[in-house]
C-alpha cells in the first residue's frame, strides 16, 4: 500500500479544472497541503488530458510539491474524437500506453495510485494482472485499484493477481446512496430491496478495499449539488439542524455522514473553491451519533424498514 486511507479522509478531486490557470491550481494545491489534504484524484480523461497537463505545468514550475502529494490517476475511458465515440478499453496495451502518457503529461516519474476507471465488458483479468505486474516492476505505479467495479468483476480481478486491489472508487453521497440502501433493505419487497450492487459494500470491507466516494455532494450523475436543492428539502433542513448543533456547515455534516461508514472511506471533494474544500475538511472533526446518522438517511428520502 502506498498510503493509509485513514490518514487521508479527504481527497482533492481534480476533474473540474477547466478554465483554471496553472497559478489557480497551484494556489488550490498549496491550500490543500497547508490544511492536511495530500491526496489528489485525477484521470487521463478529465478534459481530454488537459487536467493532467495543467497539473504537470504546476509540478514543473514547483517540483517541491511532488513529494508532498499522493497522486492518483485512472485509465480505461477512451474518447475517439475523430469518430465522435466513447468506449472502454482495459487491454494490456492500452493500460501501459495510458500510464506512460499520464506520466509524461504530469511530468512525474511514478504514480502513487492507479485505477481502472470503469469496467470494460471485454476485460480479461489475467491480462490486466500482467499490465499491473509490468507497471509495478518498472516502478511506474506504487498501488493499484479500480473504480465503478461491480462485485463479481472485482472478485474476478482479485482472483488473478497477487497485487492488492486497494481501492474501488464509487459514487456515494447523500444524493446517491445505493450502496448502503441495498445493505439496509435485504428481502424488502420494494425497489430499494432490489439488488443493484451485489453487496459490494461488505465485500469491500471484508477485503480491506478502500471505498473512495466520488461526487459526494451531487445527486444523480452530475445532477447538481444537494445543498439547497428543492429536491432535498427535508435533508437540507436536517443538515441545517445538525450544522447548528455541531457549529459547522451542512457540507461538513454531509462529509461526516460518509466518513462515519468506517476508516476505510475517503471522500473526494470536487470543489476548487478553498472555502468549500475547507467545509469538507471540517467534516473530519464531526462525529454524528448513530441516531443522527439514521435520521439523516431517512430525511434524504430513504426507507428504514
Ligand atoms: N471514478 C469516477 O467515475 C468519477 C466520476 C466523477 C468524479 N470523480 C472524482 O470525484 C471528484 C468529485 O466529483 P464532483 O466534482 O462531481 O464532486 P462534488 O464535490 O460532489 O461536486 C462538485 C460540485 O459541488 C459543489 N460543492 C462542493 N462542495 C461544496 C460546498 N461545501 N458547498 C457548496 N457547494 C459545494 C461544487 O461547487 P464549487 O465548485 O462552487 O465549490 C461543485 O459544483 C472529481 O473531481 C473526480 O476526481 C470520479
Amino acid at each position: 500500500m502506498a498510503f493509509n486511507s485513514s490518514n487521508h479522509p479527504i481527497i482533492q478531486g481534480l476533474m473540474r479544472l477547466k478554465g483554471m490557470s496553472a497559478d489557480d491550481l497551484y494556489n488550490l494545491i498549496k491550500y490543500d497541503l497547508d490544511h492536511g489534504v495530500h491526496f489528489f484524484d485525477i484521470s487521463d480523461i478529465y478534459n481530454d488530458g488537459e487536467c493532467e497537463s495543467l497539473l504537470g505545468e504546476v509540478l514543473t514550475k514547483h517540483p517541491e510539491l511532488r513529494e508532498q502529494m499522493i497522486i492518483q490517476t485512472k485509465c480505461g475511458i477512451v474518447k475517439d474524437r475523430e469518430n465522435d465515440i466513447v468506449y472502454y478499453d482495459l487491454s494490456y496495451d492500452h493500460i501501459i500506453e495510458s500510464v506512460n502518457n499520464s506520466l509524461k503529461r504530469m511530468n512525474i516519474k511514478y504514480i502513487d495510485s492507479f485505477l481502472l476507471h470503469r469496467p470494460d465488458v471485454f476485460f480479461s483479468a489475467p491480462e490486466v494482472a500482467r499490465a499491473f505486474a509490468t507497471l509495478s516492476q518498472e516502478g511506474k505505479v506504487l498501488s493499484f485499484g479500480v473504480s465503478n467495479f461491480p462485485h463479481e468483476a472485482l472478485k474476478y480481478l482479485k482472483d488473478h493477481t497477487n497485487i492488492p486491489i486497494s481501492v474501488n472508487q464509487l459514487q456515494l453521497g447523500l444524493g446517491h446512496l445505493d450502496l448502503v440502501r441495498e445493505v439496509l433493505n435485504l428481502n424488502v419487497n420494494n425497489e430499494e430491496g432490489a439488488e443493484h450492487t451485489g453487496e459490494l459494500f461488505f465485500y469491500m470491507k471484508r477485503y480491506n478495499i478502500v471505498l473512495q466516494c466520488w461526487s459526494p455532494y451531487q445527486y444523480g450523475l452530475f445532477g447538481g449539488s444537494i445543498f439547497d436543492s428543492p429536491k432535498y428539502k427535508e435533508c437540507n433542513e436536517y443538515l441545517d439542524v445538525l450544522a447548528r448543533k455541531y457549529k459547522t456547515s451542512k457540507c461538513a455534516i454531509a462529509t461526516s455522514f460518509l466518513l462515519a461508514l468506517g476508516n476505510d472511506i475517503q471522500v473526494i471533494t470536487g470543489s476548487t473553491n478553498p472555502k468549500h474544500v475547507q467545509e469538507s475538511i471540517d467534516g473530519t472533526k464531526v462525529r454524528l451519533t448513530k441516531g443522527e446518522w439514521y435520521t439523516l438517511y431517512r430525511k434524504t428520502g430513504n426507507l428504514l424498514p
Side-chain angles (χ1 to χ4, degrees):
M1 274 275 282
F3 60 89
N4 177 342
S5 60
S6 57
N7 293 336
H8 302 282
I10 304 297
I11 298 179
Q12 174 69 63
L14 299 176
M15 178 181 72
R16 297 178 189 258
L17 304 186
K18 204 171 180 175
M20 285 176 80
S21 68
D23 284 347
D24 294 337
L25 180 57
Y26 170 74
N27 289 335
L28 177 66
I29 294 173
K30 269 299 281 172
Y31 184 90
D32 288 331
L33 295 174
D34 290 347
H35 293 82
V37 174
H38 291 261
F39 205 122
F40 296 83
D41 181 73
I42 200 162
S43 170
D44 64 347
I45 198 69
Y46 295 161
N47 203 13
D48 294 337
E50 291 298 318
C51 291
E52 284 188 340
S53 297
L54 191 66
L55 178 57
E57 216 181 297
V58 173
L59 293 175
T60 304
K61 263 197 195 160
H62 305 279
E64 74 285 359
L65 295 181
R66 171 63 184 106
E67 289 309 312
Q68 302 173 58
M69 297 171 74
I70 295 173
I71 297 178
Q72 172 171 276
T73 192
K74 325 181 190 76
C75 91
I77 304 178
V78 185
K79 257 194 205 167
D80 176 348
R81 288 244 157 249
E82 218 169 281
N83 298 303
D84 194 25
I85 49 175
V86 175
Y87 60 96
Y88 302 156
D89 186 353
L90 296 182
S91 63
Y92 178 90
D93 288 346
H94 181 71
I95 293 172
I96 301 291
E97 192 192 348
S98 298
V99 166
N100 287 331
N101 288 338
S102 290
L103 288 171
K104 213 181 288 168
R105 276 194 291 265
M106 293 189 280
N107 191 21
I108 56 178
K109 293 200 165 48
Y110 65 93
I111 290 162
D112 298 274
S113 172
F114 176 70
L115 312 185
L116 305 177
H117 205 147
R118 283 197 169 272
D120 161 16
V121 281
F122 302 107
F123 102 93
S124 143
E127 194 177 336
V128 168
R130 197 158 57 83
F132 282 5
T134 302
L135 293 168
S136 176
Q137 279 153 19
E138 290 176 345
K140 290 180 176 170
V141 173
L142 303 189
S143 147
F144 295 86
V146 294
S147 175
N148 305 303
F149 257 55
H151 191 177
E152 286 300 326
L154 190 49
K155 268 165 88 176
Y156 172 48
L157 179 55
K158 273 175 63 57
D159 283 352
H160 283 86
T161 177
N162 292 328
I163 292 179
I165 304 301
S166 306
V167 168
N168 193 7
Q169 189 179 109
L170 300 156
Q171 186 172 12
L172 186 67
L174 280 168
H176 190 102
L177 279 170
D178 292 28
L179 274 178
V180 285
R181 202 163 33 223
E182 181 182 294
V183 171
L184 297 172
N185 283 275
L186 177 74
N187 242 355
V188 179
N189 193 9
N190 62 7
E191 208 189 309
E192 285 162 317
E195 192 170 279
H196 298 298
T197 68
E199 299 270 1
L200 188 54
F201 183 79
F202 277 112
Y203 175 79
M204 287 168 56
K205 281 213 178 283
R206 180 176 172 197
Y207 289 102
N208 300 314
I209 297 172
V210 172
L211 197 173
Q212 291 184 346
C213 311
W214 62 261
S215 292
Y217 316 119
Q218 297 274 306
Y219 57 86
L221 193 62
F222 309 128
S225 150
I226 55 164
F227 304 124
D228 302 319
S229 159
K231 284 177 192 280
Y232 287 86
K233 187 168 174 289
E234 259 198 88
C235 166
N236 272 288
E237 283 167 2
Y238 193 54
L239 282 174
D240 248 336
V241 169
L242 295 175
R244 263 182 272 121
K245 173 181 168 187
Y246 288 99
K247 298 187 174 36
T248 190
S249 62
K250 292 198 292 188
C251 174
I253 300 296
T255 305
S256 72
F257 175 86
L258 295 172
L259 294 176
L261 292 168
N263 54 14
D264 44 6
I265 305 283
Q266 294 177 293
V267 175
I268 317 175
T269 171
S271 180
T272 52
N273 173 347
K275 180 176 171 282
H276 287 165
V277 173
Q278 185 59 52
E279 291 181 355
S280 298
I281 297 170
D282 293 343
T284 62
K285 294 175 209 123
V286 179
R287 297 279 174 274
L288 297 178
T289 66
K290 251 191 191 175
E292 288 165 346
W293 193 96
Y294 277 105
T295 305
L296 187 50
Y297 176 79
R298 275 198 305 105
K299 297 274 186 192
T300 309
N302 299 295
L303 174 78
L304 204 56

